Amino acid sequence: MDIQQLKQLKILVIGDYCVDIFKYGHCLRLSPEAPVPIFLYDHEIKTDGMAGNVNNNLLSLNVDSKLLCSNKDILKIRYIDIKSKQHLMREDIEKNISPINIDLNKLQNLDCIVISDYDKGSIINKNIIDIINNFNGPIFVDTKKTDLSVFKKCIIKINEFEFNKSKNIPNDCELIITLGEKGALYKNDIYPVKKVNVFDVSGAGDSFMAGLVVQYLIKKDLKCAINFANICASDVVKKSGTACVDFEEVKNEICF
């Protein structure tokens, strides 16, 4: 396989979707009504979040990725001071979240499935069991659920905070724990990440997941995949907002 053949990889991302909204403004004085800054709105940027951002990162790595997501009624609104780039507040709006309807007959021609589960109600245990029982390829999972018992035989990627809250980890899964600036932990080994100037960590986990999936499908080697995933995450934290990995910046790091 080479770079041109990446587009032949067929991936389905299933999970919770949100719209990430970044509202930028100026904070020049405090309110006379309460000790809080007055936010003078300037402009905003809207991007796909959650499973949408995972899918966009996979597309940016030149693979054929499709998204099956929840109804788009989740908003994450961040208020950011333009001068300091400081996040002042995040406002979440969630409503009308219902389980995804998955056509199990359409799973067979895929190279892998990615479950991006923020535990909002789009992905219930029945969905997960049905996927595992009806798909023979690798299943990657990023989840906010604390009980991981349902994710048997999956490749699970969670961060350190999520791991500390988790329980009932299946014996037959592969577990990768991201550690922020320290890298990632897999089977008691830490895979370090290159130090970069961190600008914004929004979506870094999604870029890690995309890199992990693509490199694993090429080499079938999780250790190699983790190293490439670290490179992808390092690429996006240098950018503002929910960014995607830049294929031109990481393509020479892909192991074919």
Side-chain angles (χ1 to χ4, degrees), residues 3-16:
I3 288 177
Q4 298 302 320
Q5 293 172 305
L6 282 176
K7 290 186 180 296
Q8 297 179 10
L9 294 174
K10 296 186 181 299
I11 300 167
L12 178 64
V13 179
I14 304 173
D16 298 295

Side-chain angles (χ1 to χ4, degrees), residues 156-197:
I156 304 171
K157 189 281 295 182
I158 53 177
N159 62 39
E160 189 173 18
F161 177 76
E162 293 159 351
F163 171 72
N164 290 333
K165 296 195 303 177
S166 65
K167 57 185 179 182
N168 300 327
I169 300 172
N171 293 325
D172 56 354
C173 77
E174 298 282 6
L175 180 65
I176 300 163
I177 305 166
T178 55
L179 306 173
E181 63 182 13
K182 297 178 184 176
L185 177 66
Y186 172 60
K187 290 189 174 179
N188 297 319
D189 290 326
I190 292 181
Y191 294 77
V193 64
K194 180 181 178 181
K195 290 189 179 299
V196 297
N197 292 325

Side-chain angles (χ1 to χ4, degrees), residues 25-240:
H26 301 277
C27 296
L28 303 177
R29 60 192 179 97
L30 294 178
S31 169
E33 303 163 357
V36 295
I38 295 174
F39 183 82
L40 183 61
Y41 174 86
D42 185 89
H43 70 281
E44 65 185 59
I45 298 173
K46 294 182 179 181
T47 60
D48 299 314
M50 296 182 175
N53 191 45
V54 176
N55 187 62
N56 286 344
N57 272 274
L58 286 165
L59 291 171
S60 73
L61 289 173
N62 272 11
V63 299
D64 181 1
S65 182
K66 298 290 190 298
L67 175 63
L68 179 60
C69 65
S70 56
N71 43 344
K72 302 179 179 181
D73 287 323
I74 301 176
L75 303 178
K76 290 185 180 181
I77 308 168
R78 298 167 176 87
Y79 296 84
I80 304 169
D81 176 53
I82 290 177
K83 183 177 180 180
S84 66
K85 305 298 189 295
Q86 180 70 41
H87 283 214
L88 304 176
M89 188 184 79
R90 195 180 92 181
E91 175 187 4
D92 288 7
I93 301 174
E94 302 176 7
K95 58 182 179 180
N96 302 325
I97 302 170
S98 55
I100 296 172
N101 183 25
I102 301 172
D103 187 346
L104 300 174
N105 295 318
K106 294 184 177 180
L107 304 182
Q108 301 314 311
N109 294 324
L110 300 169
D111 289 293
C112 87
I113 293 174
V114 179
I115 298 175
S116 182
D117 172 31
Y118 281 74
D119 203 20
K120 301 295 186 182
S122 301
I123 300 290
I124 59 176
N125 283 358
K126 183 181 184 305
N127 293 139
I128 299 161
I129 294 169
D130 285 344
I131 292 169
I132 292 172
N133 289 339
N134 289 274
F135 182 67
N136 294 323
I139 301 171
F140 290 80
V141 174
D142 190 355
T143 183
K144 301 295 184 186
K145 287 182 172 59
T146 55
D147 186 347
L148 305 183
S149 59
V150 72
F151 296 109
K152 296 178 179 179
K153 300 179 181 179
C154 295
I155 301 170
I156 304 171
K157 189 281 295 182
I158 53 177
N159 62 39
E160 189 173 18
F161 177 76
E162 293 159 351
F163 171 72
N164 290 333
K165 296 195 303 177
S166 65
K167 57 185 179 182
N168 300 327
I169 300 172
N171 293 325
D172 56 354
C173 77
E174 298 282 6
L175 180 65
I176 300 163
I177 305 166
T178 55
L179 306 173
E181 63 182 13
K182 297 178 184 176
L185 177 66
Y186 172 60
K187 290 189 174 179
N188 297 319
D189 290 326
I190 292 181
Y191 294 77
V193 64
K194 180 181 178 181
K195 290 189 179 299
V196 297
N197 292 325
V198 177
F199 193 78
D200 192 336
V201 298
S202 301
D206 298 332
S207 300
F208 182 98
M209 174 62 89
L212 184 76
V213 169
V214 171
Q215 185 64 87
Y216 180 80
L217 291 178
I218 294 170
K219 296 288 287 185
K220 301 298 188 292
D221 183 328
L222 267 180
K223 295 179 180 180
C224 180
I226 293 169
N227 285 327
F228 182 65
N230 276 334
I231 292 170
C232 291
S234 294
D235 180 61
V236 299
V237 297
K238 297 182 290 185
K239 306 168 186 176
S240 177

